[in-house]
Amino acid sequence: MAAEDYKPGLEGVPVAKSSISYVNGQEGILEYRGIPIDALARQSNFVETSYLLIWGKLPSAAELAEFENEICSHRRIKYRIKDMMKCFPETGHPMDALQASAAALGLFYSRRALTDPTYIWEAVTRLLAKIPTMAAAFQLMRKGNDPVLPRDDLGYAANFLYMLTEKEPDPLSARVLDVCLILHAEHTINASTFSAMVTASTLTDPYAVIASAVGTLAGPLHGGANEDVMLMLAEIGTIDQVRPYVEKCVAEKKKIVGFGHRVYKVKDPRAILLQELAVELFAKFGHDKYFDIAVELEKVVEEYYGQKGIYPNVDFYSGLVYRKLGIPDDLFTPVFAIARVAGWLAHWREQLDENRIFRPTQIYTGEHGLAYKSIDQR
Ligand code: COA
């Protein structure tokens, strides 16, 4: 293996054949199972989109009803999980709480053959059902409150907002969150998905697969840029400070958060949809001055960097939307995780269909045949 074969970050190295999603970064296209994201965002809902991603086709009405019912009936978490979560420090990050709770789920549902379709179905529906409950439970428990029980009469996104805020959300908020979940559900092979695939390739249980993916998503280079966007907008403070801020970043060669993407060289299609959702929310629930700053920032950054293909990515407008929905800043990444569980599960299933354990190689740069020195000689 020659050193020039080494691609840091595996850039451009195919690691799988996949029919789950497709990105065309030049034209700003994202498709799930061949269906453009725009159509799914406008016409589908998160549970149906999850079915599409995981089972590979849009469900019939009966299939969708069965999937929805199954997810709904598994929303509650066992009291032992809640007791375990109560012991988590309230200062801990919600992503760490989510990773630990996802892993703990595996303790309760004994491992069965990965060729058993019932086991796969149960794991898929349980994980989709319980991850939001656990994220919301930690939010209430860290404030010293008991978690509220999920409500079977509410849809997936509405129930999550209810569990988080203890108030039944209005239909627009629920719909906006549902669309956000669709937009974040899947995005080809990124770090957390690859992590899920590597873990899956050992044929371990699906709870371990999701726990490892949650841990990978938690890193600041992956999830979490939307939190930084909110900090940046606060730092800029007013519209007239946008241009000086961009000029300073250009002069100091500092990257502007929420812009640029390894694959997209035009505005991320998800950012276009999220901007629309922000406008809808602000029209109903009151304006946010940070939105005006964001719009101005997009304009000025395009002047400087448009030719280089640097445009808003998915994280640019999502924080503004989440804040308006009453989601605390450090829950932005857990919300991303709730959505991405669908994509991770889809890749888990696809991995199992043609599994070979991941075992890449390395370019050894160390020495050989050294003598062992006893401790007094070192
Ligand atoms: N602001 C200004 N310049 C940027 C930029 C940004 N946000 N993102 C990339 N660039 C510039 C780089 O400086 C580099 O310029 P150069 O060729 O003159 O050196 C060029 O574009 C390529 O950048 P690079 O970092 O190699 O791209 P990448 O594909 O490795 O990185 C990101 C992609 C997303 C990590 C990167 O765009 C970034 O750090 N963005 C800000 C953080 C962010 O929003 N992350 C969330 C991603 S969804």
Side-chain angles (χ1 to χ4, degrees), residues 263-313:
V263 183
Y264 293 115
K265 299 303 161 205
V266 293
K267 187 167 174 178
D268 186 326
R270 298 166 298 174
I272 297 172
L273 291 159
L274 282 161
Q275 186 174 4
E276 277 179 36
L277 295 178
V279 170
E280 256 186 86
L281 273 183
F282 298 147
K284 177 148 185 194
F285 299 113
H287 202 63
D288 182 338
K289 72 166 187 168
Y290 291 122
F291 179 70
D292 300 330
I293 297 176
V295 172
E296 179 68 10
L297 185 61
E298 177 177 347
K299 211 175 85 197
V300 179
V301 170
E302 187 176 347
E303 273 176 39
Y304 282 89
Y305 287 123
Q307 280 186 323
K308 254 181 143 178
I310 293 163
Y311 287 93
N313 59 44

Side-chain angles (χ1 to χ4, degrees), residues 225 255-262 305 308 310 313-315:
K255 282 186 184 168
I256 300 163
V257 214
F259 288 85
H261 196 277
R262 174 69 58 83
Y305 287 123
K308 254 181 143 178
I310 293 163
N313 59 44
V314 67
D315 291 316

Side-chain angles (χ1 to χ4, degrees), residues 22 41 76 108 110 122 134 146 173 180 197 206 215 259 272 280 286 369 377:
Y22 168 80
R76 291 184 184 203
F108 293 91
S110 53
E122 285 175 2
M134 296 190 301
D146 278 327
S173 300
C180 291
M197 289 161 61
F259 288 85
I272 297 172
E280 256 186 86
Q377 291 177 325

Side-chain angles (χ1 to χ4, degrees), residues 69-365:
N69 286 341
E70 195 74 8
I71 291 172
C72 203
S73 69
H74 283 302
R75 279 178 184 166
R76 291 184 184 203
I77 48 174
K78 293 192 186 289
Y79 80 88
R80 283 172 194 270
I81 295 262
K82 285 187 226 169
D83 284 353
M84 177 192 78
M85 294 181 79
K86 278 183 190 152
C87 300
F88 293 169
E90 67 272 17
T91 49
H93 196 282
M95 281 300 273
D96 293 332
L98 195 58
Q99 186 188 16
S101 332
L105 280 182
L107 294 164
F108 293 91
Y109 307 109
S110 53
R111 190 183 308 190
R112 300 213 303 272
L114 292 170
T115 47
D116 175 354
T118 311
Y119 178 61
I120 303 274
W121 169 263
E122 285 175 2
V124 163
T125 48
R126 278 198 183 112
L127 278 158
L128 283 167
K130 293 183 196 299
I131 292 279
T133 311
M134 296 190 301
F138 182 67
Q139 168 62 11
L140 292 197
M141 286 193 276
R142 69 176 171 170
K143 292 196 295 187
N145 300 331
D146 278 327
V148 294
L149 287 175
R151 270 188 39 194
D152 293 354
D153 59 323
L154 296 177
Y156 192 90
N159 174 58
F160 174 66
L161 284 174
Y162 164 72
M163 291 189 297
L164 199 63
T165 60
E166 300 179 86
K167 285 197 297 268
E168 186 174 331
D170 74 288
L172 176 64
S173 300
R175 172 67 192 152
V176 165
L177 181 64
D178 198 67
V179 176
C180 291
L181 296 178
I182 294 174
L183 299 180
H184 287 84
E186 160 65 8
H187 207 240
T188 71
I189 315 285
N190 45 76
S192 59
T193 301
F194 187 44
S195 171
M197 289 161 61
V198 172
T199 309
S201 81
T202 70
L203 302 185
T204 186
D205 74 73
Y207 305 98
V209 170
I210 297 304
S212 71
V214 172
T216 310
L217 182 67
L221 291 185
H222 193 358
N226 47 12
E227 259 184 88
D228 294 339
V229 170
M230 299 310 292
L231 292 174
M232 173 184 67
L233 296 177
E235 186 191 333
I236 295 173
T238 52
I239 292 195
D240 58 339
Q241 286 307 308
V242 167
R243 192 169 289 277
Y245 180 84
V246 174
E247 282 166 359
K248 191 163 171 279
C249 290
V250 173
E252 293 173 2
K253 293 194 182 338
K254 188 177 152 213
K255 282 186 184 168
I256 300 163
V257 214
F259 288 85
H261 196 277
R262 174 69 58 83
V263 183
Y264 293 115
K265 299 303 161 205
V266 293
K267 187 167 174 178
D268 186 326
R270 298 166 298 174
I272 297 172
L273 291 159
L274 282 161
Q275 186 174 4
E276 277 179 36
L277 295 178
V279 170
E280 256 186 86
L281 273 183
F282 298 147
K284 177 148 185 194
F285 299 113
H287 202 63
D288 182 338
K289 72 166 187 168
Y290 291 122
F291 179 70
D292 300 330
I293 297 176
V295 172
E296 179 68 10
L297 185 61
E298 177 177 347
K299 211 175 85 197
V300 179
V301 170
E302 187 176 347
E303 273 176 39
Y304 282 89
Y305 287 123
Q307 280 186 323
K308 254 181 143 178
I310 293 163
Y311 287 93
N313 59 44
V314 67
D315 291 316
F316 190 57
Y317 288 106
S318 60
L320 286 159
V321 171
Y322 292 158
R323 260 205 196 160
K324 204 69 187 171
L325 293 175
I327 297 172
D329 289 12
D330 65 355
L331 279 179
F332 292 175
T333 316
V335 171
F336 187 163
I338 288 169
R340 193 51 65 84
V341 165
W344 293 329
L345 288 170
H347 284 274
W348 169 60
R349 283 205 65 229
E350 192 173 67
Q351 181 68 33
L352 293 181
D353 280 347
E354 252 180 77
N355 188 52
R356 188 159 189 222
I357 189 168
F358 279 96
R359 183 38 173 113
T361 188
Q362 62 171 10
I363 302 203
Y364 179 64
T365 59

